[in-house]
Amino acid sequence: MNLESMPSDPLDDRAWLEQAIELSRRCPPRDSSFAVGAIIVGDGGRPLVDGYSLETGDSVHAEEVALAKAEQLAIEVTGATLYSSLEPCSVRLSGKRSCTSRIIAAGLRKVVFAMREPPTFVECEGLAQLRAAGIEVVEIPDLAARVAQVNQHLPFERG
């Protein structure tokens, strides 16, 4: 994704989240994972990094990809906002570190997502864990149908 073509209004959570949902379409559909897109935006609405599920390997989550890119490029994300099409995971079947714990450790100040993680694989408590850590969490549920459409390859209740 060309980060320079992102929304120009730094306060437009909806527009950034729509871009994250579009990014999730790059994820190859797998019956073992959700297709998720994530974008990290810094001060003044400056896009820093993005990622999508499975971008860099099997069982790699979108938030994990974006945070790894930031680390590899020495981009400071403390105080930034993460836009993720799906609620960040709080536990992983693979045993890897959860995206929620990565977000907390990175010092992000805000997380915006469209759809809560369905219990297809695990019971997710990402929203609660992020809020407990003092991170502002914004859910934009009217975009959840778009996330469900991207993930129609998986069996879960779509409401």
Side-chain angles (χ1 to χ4, degrees):
M1 173 165 281
N2 179 356
L3 291 179
E4 297 195 17
S5 69
M6 303 301 268
S8 59
D9 184 349
L11 302 176
D12 194 349
D13 288 342
R14 184 180 187 84
W16 285 109
L17 187 53
E18 287 173 341
Q19 291 294 323
I21 293 167
E22 287 307 308
L23 183 61
S24 73
R25 296 181 188 283
R26 293 187 182 181
C27 179
R30 297 259 172 91
D31 62 2
S32 59
S33 64
F34 288 102
V36 179
I39 302 168
I40 299 176
V41 177
D43 290 340
R46 187 171 55 91
L48 302 174
V49 289
D50 64 14
Y52 58 88
S53 300
L54 309 178
E55 180 179 352
T56 60
D58 286 343
S59 78
V60 180
H61 291 190
E63 302 91 339
E64 179 182 10
V65 171
L67 288 167
K69 285 180 182 178
E71 185 176 340
Q72 290 165 356
L73 298 169
I75 295 172
E76 181 58 52
V77 298
T78 301
T81 298
L82 173 91
Y83 295 90
S84 180
S85 55
L86 190 70
E87 175 184 16
C89 71
S90 59
V91 64
R92 295 178 65 171
L93 291 177
S94 66
K96 291 172 70 176
R97 187 175 180 201
S98 74
C99 292
T100 299
S101 67
R102 292 171 192 270
I103 291 165
I104 293 166
L108 296 175
R109 70 170 180 81
K110 181 178 176 182
V111 173
V112 180
F113 68 86
M115 186 171 131
R116 292 188 187 196
E117 182 174 339
T120 305
F121 305 113
V122 298
E123 291 292 331
C124 185
E125 297 178 356
L127 175 113
Q129 289 181 7
L130 292 168
R131 284 189 174 153
I135 296 172
E136 178 185 356
V137 181
V138 176
E139 182 178 1
I140 304 179
D142 65 302
L143 293 176
R146 289 179 54 189
V147 178
Q149 187 277 326
V150 173
N151 286 284
Q152 65 185 344
H153 62 282
L154 293 171
F156 66 91
E157 189 66 36
R158 291 179 181 81

